[in-house]
mmCIF file of all heavy atoms in Angstrom:
data_model
loop_
_atom_site.group_PDB
_atom_site.id
_atom_site.type_symbol
_atom_site.label_atom_id
_atom_site.label_comp_id
_atom_site.label_asym_id
_atom_site.label_seq_id
_atom_site.Cartn_x
_atom_site.Cartn_y
_atom_site.Cartn_z
ATOM 1 N N THR A 1 108.513 53.314 71.511
ATOM 2 C CA THR A 1 107.853 54.186 72.478
ATOM 3 C C THR A 1 106.721 54.967 71.825
ATOM 4 O O THR A 1 105.681 55.190 72.447
ATOM 5 C CB THR A 1 108.842 55.148 73.169
ATOM 6 O OG1 THR A 1 109.557 55.899 72.184
ATOM 7 C CG2 THR A 1 109.810 54.379 74.052
ATOM 8 N N ARG A 2 106.893 55.332 70.560
ATOM 9 C CA ARG A 2 105.801 55.995 69.833
ATOM 10 C C ARG A 2 104.613 55.052 69.705
ATOM 11 O O ARG A 2 103.459 55.436 69.943
ATOM 12 C CB ARG A 2 106.270 56.451 68.450
ATOM 13 C CG ARG A 2 105.169 57.153 67.642
ATOM 14 C CD ARG A 2 105.623 57.472 66.223
ATOM 15 N NE ARG A 2 106.092 56.320 65.484
ATOM 16 C CZ ARG A 2 105.297 55.416 64.882
ATOM 17 N NH1 ARG A 2 103.980 55.539 64.964
ATOM 18 N NH2 ARG A 2 105.803 54.405 64.220
ATOM 19 N N LEU A 3 104.873 53.793 69.351
ATOM 20 C CA LEU A 3 103.788 52.818 69.212
ATOM 21 C C LEU A 3 103.117 52.530 70.555
ATOM 22 O O LEU A 3 101.894 52.370 70.624
ATOM 23 C CB LEU A 3 104.306 51.518 68.592
ATOM 24 C CG LEU A 3 104.618 51.584 67.108
ATOM 25 C CD1 LEU A 3 105.316 50.310 66.639
ATOM 26 C CD2 LEU A 3 103.346 51.825 66.295
ATOM 27 N N LEU A 4 103.905 52.462 71.627
ATOM 28 C CA LEU A 4 103.320 52.253 72.948
ATOM 29 C C LEU A 4 102.402 53.415 73.316
ATOM 30 O O LEU A 4 101.335 53.211 73.902
ATOM 31 C CB LEU A 4 104.419 52.078 74.000
ATOM 32 C CG LEU A 4 105.180 50.761 73.941
ATOM 33 C CD1 LEU A 4 106.418 50.818 74.832
ATOM 34 C CD2 LEU A 4 104.292 49.593 74.328
ATOM 35 N N SER A 5 102.802 54.615 72.965
ATOM 36 C CA SER A 5 101.957 55.784 73.217
ATOM 37 C C SER A 5 100.693 55.725 72.364
ATOM 38 O O SER A 5 99.589 55.994 72.850
ATOM 39 C CB SER A 5 102.718 57.071 72.924
ATOM 40 O OG SER A 5 103.797 57.221 73.802
ATOM 41 N N GLU A 6 100.847 55.356 71.108
ATOM 42 C CA GLU A 6 99.687 55.254 70.218
ATOM 43 C C GLU A 6 98.735 54.155 70.659
ATOM 44 O O GLU A 6 97.522 54.260 70.455
ATOM 45 C CB GLU A 6 100.143 55.002 68.777
ATOM 46 C CG GLU A 6 100.728 56.217 68.108
ATOM 47 C CD GLU A 6 101.088 55.969 66.654
ATOM 48 O OE1 GLU A 6 100.599 54.996 66.052
ATOM 49 O OE2 GLU A 6 101.875 56.764 66.122
ATOM 50 N N ALA A 7 99.272 53.092 71.269
ATOM 51 C CA ALA A 7 98.435 51.982 71.727
ATOM 52 C C ALA A 7 97.454 52.428 72.810
ATOM 53 O O ALA A 7 96.440 51.767 73.044
ATOM 54 C CB ALA A 7 99.300 50.839 72.239
ATOM 55 N N GLN A 8 97.731 53.543 73.459
ATOM 56 C CA GLN A 8 96.811 54.084 74.455
ATOM 57 C C GLN A 8 95.561 54.661 73.784
ATOM 58 O O GLN A 8 94.506 54.751 74.407
ATOM 59 C CB GLN A 8 97.493 55.177 75.287
ATOM 60 C CG GLN A 8 98.731 54.744 76.019
ATOM 61 C CD GLN A 8 98.443 53.767 77.132
ATOM 62 O OE1 GLN A 8 97.470 53.916 77.860
ATOM 63 N NE2 GLN A 8 99.288 52.769 77.261
ATOM 64 N N GLU A 9 95.698 55.037 72.522
ATOM 65 C CA GLU A 9 94.608 55.705 71.800
ATOM 66 C C GLU A 9 93.929 54.836 70.749
ATOM 67 O O GLU A 9 92.777 55.069 70.412
ATOM 68 C CB GLU A 9 95.142 56.966 71.103
ATOM 69 C CG GLU A 9 95.823 57.947 72.037
ATOM 70 C CD GLU A 9 94.861 58.497 73.072
ATOM 71 O OE1 GLU A 9 93.682 58.724 72.742
ATOM 72 O OE2 GLU A 9 95.295 58.673 74.228
ATOM 73 N N ARG A 10 94.658 53.858 70.237
ATOM 74 C CA ARG A 10 94.102 53.029 69.162
ATOM 75 C C ARG A 10 94.705 51.629 69.253
ATOM 76 O O ARG A 10 95.799 51.458 69.783
ATOM 77 C CB ARG A 10 94.411 53.623 67.795
ATOM 78 C CG ARG A 10 95.897 53.579 67.436
ATOM 79 C CD ARG A 10 96.161 53.953 65.981
ATOM 80 N NE ARG A 10 97.584 53.942 65.682
ATOM 81 C CZ ARG A 10 98.261 52.877 65.262
ATOM 82 N NH1 ARG A 10 97.652 51.720 65.103
ATOM 83 N NH2 ARG A 10 99.552 52.949 64.996
ATOM 84 N N PRO A 11 93.968 50.640 68.734
ATOM 85 C CA PRO A 11 94.548 49.290 68.711
ATOM 86 C C PRO A 11 95.657 49.212 67.661
ATOM 87 O O PRO A 11 95.521 49.758 66.561
ATOM 88 C CB PRO A 11 93.373 48.389 68.332
ATOM 89 C CG PRO A 11 92.245 49.266 67.968
ATOM 90 C CD PRO A 11 92.596 50.680 68.277
ATOM 91 N N LEU A 12 96.750 48.572 68.015
ATOM 92 C CA LEU A 12 97.844 48.384 67.061
ATOM 93 C C LEU A 12 97.502 47.226 66.141
ATOM 94 O O LEU A 12 96.848 46.269 66.550
ATOM 95 C CB LEU A 12 99.149 48.095 67.796
ATOM 96 C CG LEU A 12 99.649 49.171 68.758
ATOM 97 C CD1 LEU A 12 100.942 48.707 69.430
ATOM 98 C CD2 LEU A 12 99.857 50.489 68.058
ATOM 99 N N ASP A 13 97.964 47.321 64.889
ATOM 100 C CA ASP A 13 97.723 46.202 63.981
ATOM 101 C C ASP A 13 98.687 45.063 64.308
ATOM 102 O O ASP A 13 99.584 45.197 65.141
ATOM 103 C CB ASP A 13 97.807 46.632 62.512
ATOM 104 C CG ASP A 13 99.181 47.089 62.071
ATOM 105 O OD1 ASP A 13 100.182 46.536 62.554
ATOM 106 O OD2 ASP A 13 99.247 47.991 61.216
ATOM 107 N N LEU A 14 98.486 43.931 63.670
ATOM 108 C CA LEU A 14 99.242 42.721 63.999
ATOM 109 C C LEU A 14 100.751 42.916 63.875
ATOM 110 O O LEU A 14 101.510 42.529 64.767
ATOM 111 C CB LEU A 14 98.792 41.563 63.103
ATOM 112 C CG LEU A 14 99.466 40.222 63.351
ATOM 113 C CD1 LEU A 14 99.208 39.740 64.763
ATOM 114 C CD2 LEU A 14 98.991 39.199 62.335
ATOM 115 N N SER A 15 101.208 43.541 62.804
ATOM 116 C CA SER A 15 102.653 43.725 62.615
ATOM 117 C C SER A 15 103.232 44.682 63.660
ATOM 118 O O SER A 15 104.345 44.480 64.147
ATOM 119 C CB SER A 15 102.976 44.215 61.209
ATOM 120 O OG SER A 15 102.438 45.498 60.982
ATOM 121 N N GLU A 16 102.469 45.716 64.023
ATOM 122 C CA GLU A 16 102.933 46.643 65.055
ATOM 123 C C GLU A 16 103.032 45.945 66.408
ATOM 124 O O GLU A 16 104.026 46.104 67.123
ATOM 125 C CB GLU A 16 101.982 47.842 65.163
ATOM 126 C CG GLU A 16 102.029 48.776 63.973
ATOM 127 C CD GLU A 16 100.935 49.820 64.011
ATOM 128 O OE1 GLU A 16 99.827 49.548 64.524
ATOM 129 O OE2 GLU A 16 101.189 50.928 63.512
ATOM 130 N N ARG A 17 102.002 45.168 66.761
ATOM 131 C CA ARG A 17 102.030 44.440 68.036
ATOM 132 C C ARG A 17 103.197 43.465 68.091
ATOM 133 O O ARG A 17 103.884 43.354 69.112
ATOM 134 C CB ARG A 17 100.718 43.684 68.258
ATOM 135 C CG ARG A 17 99.574 44.560 68.687
ATOM 136 C CD ARG A 17 98.380 43.768 69.196
ATOM 137 N NE ARG A 17 98.036 42.591 68.423
ATOM 138 C CZ ARG A 17 97.158 42.538 67.431
ATOM 139 N NH1 ARG A 17 96.513 43.633 67.076
ATOM 140 N NH2 ARG A 17 96.901 41.417 66.805
ATOM 141 N N ALA A 18 103.432 42.762 66.992
ATOM 142 C CA ALA A 18 104.534 41.792 66.953
ATOM 143 C C ALA A 18 105.875 42.496 67.108
ATOM 144 O O ALA A 18 106.751 42.031 67.848
ATOM 145 C CB ALA A 18 104.488 40.997 65.647
ATOM 146 N N SER A 19 106.052 43.609 66.418
ATOM 147 C CA SER A 19 107.299 44.366 66.526
ATOM 148 C C SER A 19 107.536 44.869 67.943
ATOM 149 O O SER A 19 108.647 44.792 68.464
ATOM 150 C CB SER A 19 107.286 45.569 65.573
ATOM 151 O OG SER A 19 107.251 45.155 64.247
ATOM 152 N N VAL A 20 106.483 45.373 68.565
ATOM 153 C CA VAL A 20 106.598 45.885 69.924
ATOM 154 C C VAL A 20 106.937 44.742 70.886
ATOM 155 O O VAL A 20 107.845 44.863 71.711
ATOM 156 C CB VAL A 20 105.308 46.614 70.368
ATOM 157 C CG1 VAL A 20 105.298 46.880 71.860
ATOM 158 C CG2 VAL A 20 105.148 47.920 69.597
ATOM 159 N N LYS A 21 106.232 43.618 70.776
ATOM 160 C CA LYS A 21 106.492 42.488 71.673
ATOM 161 C C LYS A 21 107.925 41.985 71.527
ATOM 162 O O LYS A 21 108.585 41.699 72.526
ATOM 163 C CB LYS A 21 105.502 41.350 71.404
ATOM 164 C CG LYS A 21 104.153 41.618 72.003
ATOM 165 C CD LYS A 21 103.243 40.424 71.854
ATOM 166 C CE LYS A 21 101.903 40.732 72.488
ATOM 167 N NZ LYS A 21 101.094 39.548 72.680
ATOM 168 N N LEU A 22 108.392 41.871 70.295
ATOM 169 C CA LEU A 22 109.760 41.409 70.059
ATOM 170 C C LEU A 22 110.759 42.371 70.696
ATOM 171 O O LEU A 22 111.680 41.962 71.392
ATOM 172 C CB LEU A 22 110.028 41.273 68.564
ATOM 173 C CG LEU A 22 111.443 40.868 68.172
ATOM 174 C CD1 LEU A 22 111.756 39.471 68.696
ATOM 175 C CD2 LEU A 22 111.605 40.913 66.666
ATOM 176 N N HIS A 23 110.559 43.652 70.474
ATOM 177 C CA HIS A 23 111.468 44.658 71.027
ATOM 178 C C HIS A 23 111.439 44.633 72.560
ATOM 179 O O HIS A 23 112.491 44.719 73.197
ATOM 180 C CB HIS A 23 111.094 46.045 70.504
ATOM 181 C CG HIS A 23 112.055 47.110 70.917
ATOM 182 N ND1 HIS A 23 113.137 47.469 70.150
ATOM 183 C CD2 HIS A 23 112.097 47.881 72.030
ATOM 184 C CE1 HIS A 23 113.807 48.422 70.774
ATOM 185 N NE2 HIS A 23 113.192 48.698 71.921
ATOM 186 N N LEU A 24 110.243 44.515 73.139
ATOM 187 C CA LEU A 24 110.129 44.521 74.595
ATOM 188 C C LEU A 24 110.804 43.309 75.232
ATOM 189 O O LEU A 24 111.239 43.371 76.381
ATOM 190 C CB LEU A 24 108.661 44.585 75.025
ATOM 191 C CG LEU A 24 107.940 45.903 74.738
ATOM 192 C CD1 LEU A 24 106.478 45.803 75.143
ATOM 193 C CD2 LEU A 24 108.615 47.068 75.425
ATOM 194 N N MET A 25 110.915 42.216 74.490
ATOM 195 C CA MET A 25 111.591 41.029 75.027
ATOM 196 C C MET A 25 113.073 41.278 75.265
ATOM 197 O O MET A 25 113.676 40.678 76.151
ATOM 198 C CB MET A 25 111.427 39.841 74.079
ATOM 199 C CG MET A 25 110.070 39.201 74.163
ATOM 200 S SD MET A 25 110.018 37.629 73.309
ATOM 201 C CE MET A 25 109.485 38.130 71.696
ATOM 202 N N ILE A 26 113.664 42.191 74.474
ATOM 203 C CA ILE A 26 115.109 42.394 74.581
ATOM 204 C C ILE A 26 115.512 43.751 75.151
ATOM 205 O O ILE A 26 116.665 43.950 75.473
ATOM 206 C CB ILE A 26 115.799 42.186 73.213
ATOM 207 C CG1 ILE A 26 115.305 43.200 72.199
ATOM 208 C CG2 ILE A 26 115.611 40.779 72.719
ATOM 209 C CD1 ILE A 26 116.113 43.222 70.928
ATOM 210 N N CYS A 27 114.558 44.659 75.302
ATOM 211 C CA CYS A 27 114.910 46.021 75.722
ATOM 212 C C CYS A 27 114.258 46.378 77.061
ATOM 213 O O CYS A 27 113.069 46.671 77.131
ATOM 214 C CB CYS A 27 114.493 47.022 74.652
ATOM 215 S SG CYS A 27 114.954 48.718 75.052
ATOM 216 N N ARG A 28 115.060 46.359 78.093
ATOM 217 C CA ARG A 28 114.554 46.671 79.437
ATOM 218 C C ARG A 28 114.094 48.134 79.542
ATOM 219 O O ARG A 28 113.113 48.432 80.223
ATOM 220 C CB ARG A 28 115.630 46.392 80.471
ATOM 221 C CG ARG A 28 115.166 46.708 81.882
ATOM 222 C CD ARG A 28 115.658 45.675 82.861
ATOM 223 N NE ARG A 28 115.185 45.962 84.186
ATOM 224 C CZ ARG A 28 114.141 45.351 84.743
ATOM 225 N NH1 ARG A 28 113.489 44.438 84.064
ATOM 226 N NH2 ARG A 28 113.771 45.649 85.969
ATOM 227 N N GLY A 29 114.778 49.035 78.874
ATOM 228 C CA GLY A 29 114.386 50.442 78.918
ATOM 229 C C GLY A 29 112.981 50.658 78.382
ATOM 230 O O GLY A 29 112.187 51.396 78.981
ATOM 231 N N CYS A 30 112.654 50.005 77.295
ATOM 232 C CA CYS A 30 111.311 50.143 76.728
ATOM 233 C C CYS A 30 110.272 49.412 77.575
ATOM 234 O O CYS A 30 109.129 49.855 77.674
ATOM 235 C CB CYS A 30 111.284 49.655 75.277
ATOM 236 S SG CYS A 30 112.125 50.798 74.156
ATOM 237 N N ARG A 31 110.668 48.295 78.217
ATOM 238 C CA ARG A 31 109.757 47.634 79.156
ATOM 239 C C ARG A 31 109.452 48.570 80.319
ATOM 240 O O ARG A 31 108.310 48.664 80.767
ATOM 241 C CB ARG A 31 110.353 46.318 79.676
ATOM 242 C CG ARG A 31 110.248 45.183 78.705
ATOM 243 C CD ARG A 31 110.502 43.828 79.365
ATOM 244 N NE ARG A 31 111.720 43.749 80.142
ATOM 245 C CZ ARG A 31 112.915 43.416 79.666
ATOM 246 N NH1 ARG A 31 113.055 43.133 78.382
ATOM 247 N NH2 ARG A 31 113.968 43.349 80.459
ATOM 248 N N ASN A 32 110.459 49.268 80.807
ATOM 249 C CA ASN A 32 110.244 50.242 81.890
ATOM 250 C C ASN A 32 109.319 51.365 81.432
ATOM 251 O O ASN A 32 108.422 51.779 82.173
ATOM 252 C CB ASN A 32 111.570 50.822 82.378
ATOM 253 C CG ASN A 32 112.369 49.837 83.195
ATOM 254 O OD1 ASN A 32 111.833 48.894 83.747
ATOM 255 N ND2 ASN A 32 113.672 50.047 83.257
ATOM 256 N N PHE A 33 109.540 51.862 80.216
ATOM 257 C CA PHE A 33 108.680 52.911 79.674
ATOM 258 C C PHE A 33 107.235 52.424 79.604
ATOM 259 O O PHE A 33 106.306 53.126 80.014
ATOM 260 C CB PHE A 33 109.161 53.342 78.284
ATOM 261 C CG PHE A 33 108.274 54.358 77.632
ATOM 262 C CD1 PHE A 33 108.385 55.696 77.951
ATOM 263 C CD2 PHE A 33 107.321 53.978 76.699
ATOM 264 C CE1 PHE A 33 107.559 56.643 77.360
ATOM 265 C CE2 PHE A 33 106.495 54.911 76.107
ATOM 266 C CZ PHE A 33 106.615 56.244 76.434
ATOM 267 N N SER A 34 107.048 51.205 79.107
ATOM 268 C CA SER A 34 105.711 50.633 78.998
ATOM 269 C C SER A 34 105.057 50.510 80.368
ATOM 270 O O SER A 34 103.882 50.842 80.547
ATOM 271 C CB SER A 34 105.790 49.261 78.319
ATOM 272 O OG SER A 34 104.517 48.679 78.233
ATOM 273 N N SER A 35 105.824 50.057 81.341
ATOM 274 C CA SER A 35 105.320 49.922 82.706
ATOM 275 C C SER A 35 104.921 51.282 83.276
ATOM 276 O O SER A 35 103.871 51.417 83.914
ATOM 277 C CB SER A 35 106.385 49.269 83.575
ATOM 278 O OG SER A 35 105.987 49.246 84.912
#
């Protein structure tokens, strides 16, 4: 959720984007937060 918030202000690097995407695939709560 911290990275999703930061993504509003700056581009995430490759490892951050990959970590977020992986987490969002399995976590509905974080998908809801992102939405």
Side-chain angles (χ1 to χ4, degrees):
T1 55
R2 180 186 56 80
L3 286 172
L4 288 168
S5 296
E6 286 184 18
Q8 302 292 319
E9 304 297 323
R10 68 170 178 89
L12 300 179
D13 65 35
L14 181 61
S15 65
E16 290 171 328
R17 283 193 317 267
S19 295
V20 168
K21 282 186 179 194
L22 177 64
H23 186 92
L24 291 177
M25 283 192 268
I26 62 169
C27 183
R28 180 140 182 100
C30 287
R31 282 195 309 272
N32 287 338
F33 176 82
S34 179
S35 174

